[in-house]
Amino acid sequence: MDTTPLPARTEVAIVGAGPAGLALAVTLAASGIDFVVLDRLAEGANTSRAAVVHARTLEVLDELGASEELIARGIQVTRFAVRDGSRRLLTVPFDKLPTAHPYTLMVPQYETESVLLARLRALGGDVHRPHEVTSVVQDEDGVTLTMSTGQTLRAGYAVGTDGMHSTVREASGIGFTGSAYSESFVLADVVMDWAPGPSEVSLTFGTAGLTVVAPLPGGHYRVVATVDDAPDTPTSPSSSSCWTSAPPARPRSRALPGPHVSGCTTGSPTTTG
Ligand SMILES: Cc1cc2nc3c(=O)[nH]c(=O)nc-3n(C[C@H](O)[C@H](O)[C@H](O)COP(=O)(O)OP(=O)(O)OC[C@H]3O[C@@H](n4cnc5c(N)ncnc54)[C@H](O)[C@@H]3O)c2cc1C
């Protein structure tokens, strides 16, 4: 966390230090462009969230000098398998893709953010925390950002990388045309015995819906399943209740303890299309 005072002015104000904001900051730092990254959280989130990193993303991270370390922290999966119960319907291979990264990298989002932040610091940058931007006003010469403390930052440009409920997007009058899925989902990161092992991502259709099992580093698995009726707020982890029908091998599982638990959360993720 960078607690040094904010400058009065910068060329580019980046609001939000998730993967998008950090990637932009690394790009600007490598190009010698003046910028300030602001985030309202006192420290980065520690959840696994976007855990499937595809080849094209790794190609971009190659250019940022961040892919090698990220690959070392993840596991490489070369196929997705689609099943009806225990019967395999089809396999989607990635190992013939014309890329330096013919696989999907399974790695928690907190690792991606950690690697990008380390790269940013190596280039002399950092994230200013905690600073919540509450107002963004544009005029002929630039942008004025106001924090929840009343402090202001003047910038040539403001970039909104502040996630789904973006203050910058709303201030800019940019619409958000996404909508919510009609289905509800349960999501859990668990440790379990799983017959297909960590070499593939499994999508299993059953009478009660779809179950996705994706390997994560450290013997962990991400489980996502459709459920009939998700509560508005996450329930306590109960991974055994995540199964909607017989998977390839009924797992023995336990939800992950410790700070990196995504938990057995339920909800209706918002789409952007
Ligand atoms: C439970 C869960 C599971 C998910 N699983 C997947 C998955 O499997 N695959 C996938 O592709 N995606 C997944 N996602 C979505 C994925 O996490 C997001 O798409 C991704 O984080 C977006 O990155 P971002 O950098 O645009 O924004 P974010 O990661 O949302 O970062 C935005 C940052 O902006 C900061 N911020 C917000 N408002 C302000 C403000 N006003 N002032 C200052 N700072 C602010 C926030 O603190 C945050 O650090 C999941 C999300 C959740 C919640």
Side-chain angles (χ1 to χ4, degrees):
M1 176 166 64
D2 187 346
T3 54
T4 56
L6 286 180
R9 191 193 148 78
T10 186
E11 188 56 28
V12 182
I14 302 171
V15 184
L22 290 169
L24 175 60
V26 169
T27 304
L28 295 182
S31 305
I33 296 172
D34 180 55
F35 66 92
V36 167
V37 190
L38 305 161
D39 200 288
R40 66 183 173 191
L41 297 178
E43 55 185 275
N46 62 3
T47 50
S48 64
R49 293 178 291 161
V52 185
V53 179
H54 283 286
R56 181 60 193 136
T57 305
L58 290 169
E59 289 172 353
V60 172
L61 293 176
D62 281 342
E63 295 172 19
L64 302 186
S67 59
E68 194 175 328
E69 176 60 25
L70 190 64
I71 290 165
R73 297 190 192 190
I75 56 175
Q76 298 174 23
V77 167
T78 54
R79 63 178 185 273
F80 281 25
V82 181
R83 292 192 175 80
D84 176 8
S86 58
R87 188 166 61 96
R88 183 185 289 260
L89 297 177
L90 64 97
T91 299
V92 181
F94 293 92
D95 56 351
K96 299 290 191 296
L97 286 175
T99 169
H101 306 289
Y103 51 85
T104 58
L105 185 73
M106 306 302 302
V107 65
Q109 185 169 321
Y110 59 79
E111 295 285 16
T112 303
E113 294 178 10
S114 164
V115 168
L116 285 169
L117 180 60
R119 181 73 185 127
L120 177 60
R121 287 177 174 159
L123 291 165
D126 209 334
V127 178
H128 290 262
R129 301 176 181 274
H131 291 287
E132 180 174 13
V133 175
T134 54
S135 151
V136 182
V137 178
Q138 179 172 306
D139 56 42
E140 288 180 357
D141 302 320
V143 185
T144 300
L145 300 96
T146 305
M147 317 295 147
S148 57
T149 55
Q151 191 174 3
T152 59
L153 172 66
R154 186 78 182 148
Y157 301 87
V159 182
T161 52
D162 46 347
M164 192 166 65
H165 305 288
S166 167
T167 299
V168 178
R169 185 183 63 238
E170 285 176 16
S172 308
I174 299 170
F176 183 68
T177 54
S179 59
Y181 289 116
S182 56
E183 302 96 342
S184 292
F185 299 87
V186 64
L187 183 154
D189 290 353
V190 301
V191 176
M192 66 179 183
D193 297 327
W194 177 246
S199 58
E200 67 176 37
V201 172
S202 300
L203 299 92
T204 304
F205 288 95
T207 52
L210 172 68
T211 303
V212 180
V213 177
L216 293 171
H220 302 163
Y221 288 89
R222 158 76 60 87
V223 181
V224 183
T226 49
V227 292
D228 287 337
D229 192 17
D232 288 338
T233 52
T235 56
S236 60
S238 173
S239 55
S240 59
S241 66
C242 295
W243 300 105
T244 55
S245 65
R250 184 159 288 279
R252 287 185 297 119
S253 64
R254 64 181 170 82
L256 288 177
H260 293 151
V261 175
S262 276
C264 204
T265 56
T266 52
S268 300
T270 301
T271 66
T272 52

